[in-house]
Structure formats: C-alpha cells, structure tokens
Amino acid sequence: MGRLEDLAIHNANAARWELNEALTRIASLDEEGTLHDKDLGRIAYAYQRLSWWQQVTDLTHDSEEPVDGGTALLTVRQRAQQFLIDARPATNGGLFVLAMAESRRGGARAFLDATEKLAEALALPTDHDTRPHHTAMPTTATDSGSVDGHRS
C-alpha cells in the first residue's frame, strides 16, 4: 500500500471519528438536554465527508480491480466536482431540506479542499498543456498589405 492509500485511510478514519463524535451527542441527549439543528447539520456534514473518503478507499481496496491511490483520488475528486456542479438548489421542503443540502455540498467541498494540492501534483497534463506553443503569430490579410487576400 502506498502513501496515497494510507492518506485516504487516515482521512476516512478522521471523518469516521468526527461522525462518531456527532452521533455521540445524540446518544447522550438524555443527560445533556435538547437536540439542536447544528447537531443534525454536524452529523450530515461528517457523514458526507466520510462518504467521499470511503469512495476513495473502496476504489483502492476493491477485491476485483483495485486502482492506485492517485487514480482513486482523481476519480472521486471528479465525482465531487460534478456533484457540486450538478447540485440543484433545494426549493421545497423547508429549512431542514436546505440544511441537509448545504451539508452535502459542504462535505463535497471539504473533500475537494483536503485533496486540492494532492490532485494538482497528480494531475496528468491536459491537451492544452501538451500542445506546442508557437511564438510566431499567423499573418492576416492586413499584415501583408492585401485586401481580401489579393495584393493591390
């Protein structure tokens, strides 16, 4: 197992711990009092962060065709980015639905933020990056003293 796979497991465990802490708050309500909206938001946010990291570890530890940590990280980052792009604003359902939608977006954003530098280091060059750069500018009809392509 490589460094990226270890990092994915570490981050998944950290998110799992955060989720456990948030759930413990609900389990101890009898002793502490009332449940607040921030408690539910914290659970939803931690769960979403965990789900993104779990996708990475699932790809690296798949029994049929495991992939390397870099490929898994870039694949799941692409999914998270697409999720944020495609996420529709919640317009029905009240404040709870809005809060849960925000938690899902927050979890995806936290995953992307945590992996940003790694992804930049791993990213393969795009077509734009590998095309040869030409320093000469193409000539135009006005550069050669012609109009409509004909010399006068």
Side-chain angles (χ1 to χ4, degrees), residues 84-150:
L84 287 174
I85 291 168
D86 293 341
R88 297 184 128 171
T91 55
N92 299 345
L95 293 177
F96 180 77
V97 171
L98 291 172
M100 293 303 105
E102 183 59 31
S103 293
R104 285 189 294 278
R105 287 189 298 273
R109 184 76 251 160
F111 173 77
L112 290 172
D113 290 346
T115 61
E116 184 173 6
K117 287 188 186 337
L118 288 172
E120 287 173 2
L122 293 171
L124 298 172
T126 62
D127 288 341
H128 182 279
D129 295 336
T130 57
R131 276 187 251 145
H133 297 293
H134 297 289
T135 55
M137 296 294 292
T139 58
T140 60
T142 56
D143 291 340
S144 59
S146 63
V147 178
D148 296 323
H150 300 289

Side-chain angles (χ1 to χ4, degrees), residues 1-145:
M1 195 169 5
R3 175 77 176 121
L4 286 175
E5 290 85 355
D6 290 342
L7 182 64
I9 290 171
H10 171 76
N11 279 293
N13 287 336
R16 197 171 284 111
W17 182 84
E18 184 181 345
L19 177 59
N20 185 48
E21 289 293 308
L23 290 170
T24 299
R25 164 78 176 107
I26 290 179
S28 62
L29 277 180
D30 291 341
E31 301 166 9
E32 295 183 16
T34 59
L35 178 67
H36 299 282
D37 55 351
K38 67 180 178 181
D39 297 320
L40 293 176
R42 185 175 168 206
I43 290 168
Y45 175 80
Y47 175 78
Q48 291 302 317
R49 271 191 58 226
L50 173 59
S51 70
W52 292 110
W53 284 110
Q54 189 63 52
Q55 287 182 50
V56 175
T57 59
D58 287 349
L59 287 172
T60 59
H61 293 84
D62 184 5
S63 61
E64 293 178 18
E65 291 186 38
V67 298
D68 66 281
T71 302
L73 185 68
L74 291 175
T75 300
V76 177
R77 274 187 59 82
Q78 226 174 16
R79 291 177 191 166
Q81 288 170 335
Q82 200 59 45
F83 171 79
L84 287 174
I85 291 168
D86 293 341
R88 297 184 128 171
T91 55
N92 299 345
L95 293 177
F96 180 77
V97 171
L98 291 172
M100 293 303 105
E102 183 59 31
S103 293
R104 285 189 294 278
R105 287 189 298 273
R109 184 76 251 160
F111 173 77
L112 290 172
D113 290 346
T115 61
E116 184 173 6
K117 287 188 186 337
L118 288 172
E120 287 173 2
L122 293 171
L124 298 172
T126 62
D127 288 341
H128 182 279
D129 295 336
T130 57
R131 276 187 251 145
H133 297 293
H134 297 289
T135 55
M137 296 294 292
T139 58
T140 60
T142 56
D143 291 340
S144 59

